[in-house]
Amino acid sequence: MSTTDPVPAPAGAPGHPARVVLFGRAGCHLCTEARALVAEVCAETGEAWTEIDVDAPDVPALPSGRSVFDEYSELVPVVEVDGIRQGYWRIDAARLRRALAAGAPGSAAPSGPSGAAS
């Protein structure tokens, strides 16, 4: 990572992980674009985000038991909000903003047509 690349925000306080996770890899031009987009949207919304390198050997397995590499290697970049995939390859800023505005699972975010994902 060069010094001009955006640096992920802190992953959140203990017990409060970052809502946004970017799965990517070094040398991936789409990942570079997604990193900048995620950094911008999270800066606007005040949300913490983190990045996971799908090629790193020490990444824990997903809750499904599959490795991060097996799950995401062909799809990077992948963005999840609250554990729900919001996009891959080309990340949509509007969709990311809607997912963040919808609130964390179990939050008191409003539901209904205005909060529905399209």
Side-chain angles (χ1 to χ4, degrees), residues 101-102 107-116:
S107 73
S111 60
S114 64

Side-chain angles (χ1 to χ4, degrees), residues 23-25 52-76 78 80 85:
F23 295 90
R25 65 168 36 105
I52 296 175
D53 181 343
V54 299
D55 297 321
D58 57 347
V59 176
L62 298 168
S64 66
R66 291 192 59 163
S67 75
V68 169
F69 181 85
D70 288 343
E71 186 75 20
Y72 297 121
S73 180
E74 298 295 320
L75 300 176
V76 295
V78 176
E80 291 186 352
R85 186 180 303 169

Side-chain angles (χ1 to χ4, degrees), residues 18-68:
R19 292 185 61 205
V20 180
V21 179
L22 169 64
F23 295 90
R25 65 168 36 105
C28 164
H29 73 281
L30 292 177
C31 298
T32 300
E33 292 173 14
R35 187 176 302 112
L37 184 144
V38 167
E40 178 182 332
V41 171
C42 287
E44 290 170 6
T45 61
E47 292 292 346
W49 68 283
T50 192
E51 182 172 359
I52 296 175
D53 181 343
V54 299
D55 297 321
D58 57 347
V59 176
L62 298 168
S64 66
R66 291 192 59 163
S67 75
V68 169

Side-chain angles (χ1 to χ4, degrees), residues 12-17:
H16 299 284

Side-chain angles (χ1 to χ4, degrees), residues 3 7 18-19 41 50 57 90 100 110 112:
T3 56
V7 178
R19 292 185 61 205
V41 171
T50 192
R90 298 277 182 190
L100 289 169

